[in-house]
């Protein structure tokens, strides 16, 4: 809920958002905004760090200290240590099906949708230096995006215009349960 502090401000929880009525300025974290939208502090204007991925990285998922990148051109899932944002580093990679386009990570497994080979792969990433493919299953035509929740992986297929649901409770044998 919101509470007012006079005619010029409102407080949401512990955060103060101020609107100065006469000037039309809004401030976040300040009671004296100097521009239309004023957020005090330092706003990044450039990348903090970077590392090469190769051509056509299509999808990224970050979990903990690692970033997982599906690289379409090299048909790999790459693992990067991003614990130091100023110096991300390649830790490991594994070959995937042809043209991986989407990655989702849950727990110790990465789920990769491979666009050209029409597959969903399950990759054990518990050892980021040596990720390993543990299971694979055929999909509809041109899988485009994967999302995992609990024991199910949800996959959208571009050319077959379908949503498929896979049971991934056994990572070595993902199985279609609906489409």
């Amino acid at each position: 809920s919101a509470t007012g502090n006079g005619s010029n401000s409102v407080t949401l929880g512990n955060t103060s958002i101020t609107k100065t009525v006469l000037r039309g300025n809004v401030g976040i974290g300040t009671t004296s905004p100097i521009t239309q939208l004023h957020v005090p502090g330092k706003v990044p204007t450039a990348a903090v760090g970077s590392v090469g991925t190769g051509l056509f990285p299509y999808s990224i998922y970050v979990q903990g200290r690692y970033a997982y990148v599906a690289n379409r051109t090299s048909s790999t899932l790459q693992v990067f240590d991003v614990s130091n944002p100023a110096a991300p580093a390649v830790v490991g990679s594994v070959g995937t099906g042809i043209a991986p386009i989407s990655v989702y990570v849950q727990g110790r497994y990465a789920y990769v949708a491979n666009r050209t080979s029409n597959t969903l792969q399950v990759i054990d990433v518990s050892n980021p230096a040596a990720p390993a493919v543990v299971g694979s299953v055929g999909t509809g035509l041109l899988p485009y995006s994967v999302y995992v929740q609990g024991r199910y992986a949800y996959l959208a297929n571009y050319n077959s215009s379908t949503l498929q649901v896979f049971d991934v409770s056994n990572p070595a044998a993902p199985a279609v349960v609906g489409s």
Side-chain angles (χ1 to χ4, degrees):
S1 69
T3 58
N5 290 335
S7 62
N8 291 340
S9 66
V10 65
T11 302
L12 302 171
N14 292 330
T15 305
S16 177
I17 300 174
T18 304
K19 176 170 172 70
T20 304
V21 177
L22 296 176
R23 293 192 317 244
N25 295 340
V26 176
I28 299 174
T30 180
T31 56
S32 53
I34 58 175
T35 59
Q36 283 184 328
L37 176 60
H38 181 76
V39 181
K42 193 173 180 181
V43 177
T45 58
V48 174
S50 68
V51 62
T53 62
L55 295 175
F56 301 116
Y58 258 73
S59 179
I60 185 170
Y61 193 95
V62 177
Q63 179 176 277
R65 66 185 279 180
Y66 298 104
Y68 302 86
V69 175
N71 192 301
R72 184 174 175 187
T73 300
S74 63
S75 292
T76 57
L77 174 68
Q78 299 168 303
V79 183
F80 296 88
D81 183 335
V82 294
S83 60
N84 178 357
V90 176
V91 175
S93 70
V94 64
T96 63
I98 302 168
I101 196 162
S102 180
V103 61
Y104 191 94
V105 179
Q106 180 176 275
R108 67 183 283 175
Y109 297 104
Y111 301 85
V112 177
N114 297 299
R115 183 178 167 97
T116 304
S117 57
N118 300 318
T119 57
L120 171 66
Q121 287 181 301
V122 182
I123 300 172
D124 185 337
V125 294
S126 60
N127 179 356
V133 175
V134 295
S136 185
V137 63
T139 66
L141 296 176
L142 296 180
Y144 193 78
S145 181
V146 63
Y147 185 89
V148 180
Q149 184 170 4
R151 66 184 284 177
Y152 297 107
Y154 302 87
L155 192 106
N157 296 296
Y158 182 80
N159 268 17
S160 54
S161 301
T162 58
L163 167 68
Q164 288 183 292
V165 181
F166 297 87
D167 184 337
V168 292
S169 58
N170 178 356
V176 176
V177 292
S179 63

